Amino acid sequence: MPGRPEHADSEEQQDELTYMLGYVDYPDKPTDLLRHRFPSKVGGVPAWLDPLNLPTAQQLTCSVTGQTMRFLLQVYCPVDDNPIDAFHRMIFLFISPRGDELHQRGAVRALRCQLPRANPFYGDSPAPASQKAPQPLQESEQQLSLERDPWRVAEHEQHVAAGTAAATVGPAAFVEQELIVEPEPNEDEVEQSGQQQSEVQRLLSSYRARVADEGEYDESELPADLVDELEGAVGPAQQIFAVRETGWTLQMHSGGSRRINLHAGSMYAFPAGCC
């Protein structure tokens, strides 16, 4: 009986690989990005999963410049097939403070932290919405954490929970935003969204042609027939936000007048289970 081609298994694995798409948005509340919420986020300071066992100074030092690396992003990605040791798992990504050195070996570093379900920092169930901050560390533990942490996150958490401004400590921070992660849409969803996008573009072209002939409209003068067509061209899920995989946001405001805003978004993509 002929053997199974070696490439067959790799093709099946490729078919089973699920890619996750991420886009950034500002959180409803700054406390949503503290560690007890297990956030995926871009910028700001790290929300350490384990506030005591932090990366070493060597791990946080750029091999090219010798300077402390900048925190870029973190992704909460627990492992389903290892719930005992990795019930909680976070991947942190740090980069060199020199953007022109990012192509060099050691200028980008990914670090993983994981915890079992039973751990000293988090309960078995998610923290209630009323809990603004993680459970405080013991005084000796907090001091130990602060000594090893260039960003002094333990102090930062207290300021965020209290709604007070904290002094900037550590490497320069990128703008902090939540990283919202969703599965990549399947081919049918992409095709449908593409058809909707084409229809939206056709209607926008029609609107621009009217503006060229008749001049700019204010909100009360928007052609009702054109706006109705545009609203009907997108599905219910897209009437608040557009197809996320395109990186564009479509907002429709209903009421006394209707306004259509288009905003460009930022995109991040990475395969599930890549780290």
Side-chain angles (χ1 to χ4, degrees), residues 31-87:
T31 52
D32 289 345
L33 299 184
L34 296 181
R35 61 181 172 86
H36 67 309
R37 299 294 180 205
F38 310 114
S40 294
K41 72 188 192 82
V42 173
V45 302
W48 301 120
L49 181 63
D50 185 332
L52 296 183
N53 296 299
L54 302 182
T56 64
Q58 182 179 1
Q59 289 173 323
L60 293 175
T61 298
C62 173
S63 301
V64 180
T65 66
Q67 299 174 292
T68 302
M69 305 184 86
R70 298 179 70 182
F71 168 68
L72 179 60
L73 61 84
Q74 65 186 77
V75 180
Y76 182 66
C77 47
V79 182
D80 292 338
D81 58 0
N82 188 12
I84 304 226
D85 296 323
F87 184 82

Side-chain angles (χ1 to χ4, degrees), residues 135-191:
Q135 293 294 336
L137 301 173
Q138 298 292 330
E139 184 176 349
S140 59
E141 293 176 334
Q142 174 153 324
Q143 186 59 37
L144 177 64
S145 178
L146 293 175
E147 288 174 358
R148 294 188 57 180
D149 186 356
W151 294 272
R152 299 180 71 85
V153 172
E155 287 181 347
H156 172 80
E157 291 174 345
Q158 296 173 348
H159 284 287
V160 172
T164 58
T168 302
V169 178
F174 296 101
V175 174
E176 185 177 48
Q177 291 183 293
E178 184 177 8
L179 177 58
I180 301 171
V181 180
E182 295 182 345
E184 182 182 35
N186 59 40
E187 292 182 2
D188 291 339
E189 292 172 333
V190 171
E191 181 179 358

Side-chain angles (χ1 to χ4, degrees), residues 32 65 96 161 200 238:
D32 289 345
T65 66
S96 171
V200 168
Q238 283 75 42

Side-chain angles (χ1 to χ4, degrees), residues 89-129:
R89 187 176 73 151
M90 194 79 76
I91 305 296
F92 298 87
L93 188 64
F94 300 88
I95 62 173
S96 171
R98 288 278 304 272
D100 58 345
E101 300 289 356
L102 294 181
H103 64 288
Q104 300 283 359
R105 183 179 180 87
V108 178
R109 187 164 296 146
L111 301 176
R112 182 189 68 212
C113 179
Q114 60 192 45
L115 289 172
R117 182 166 187 171
N119 65 81
F121 311 113
Y122 313 105
D124 288 346
S125 56

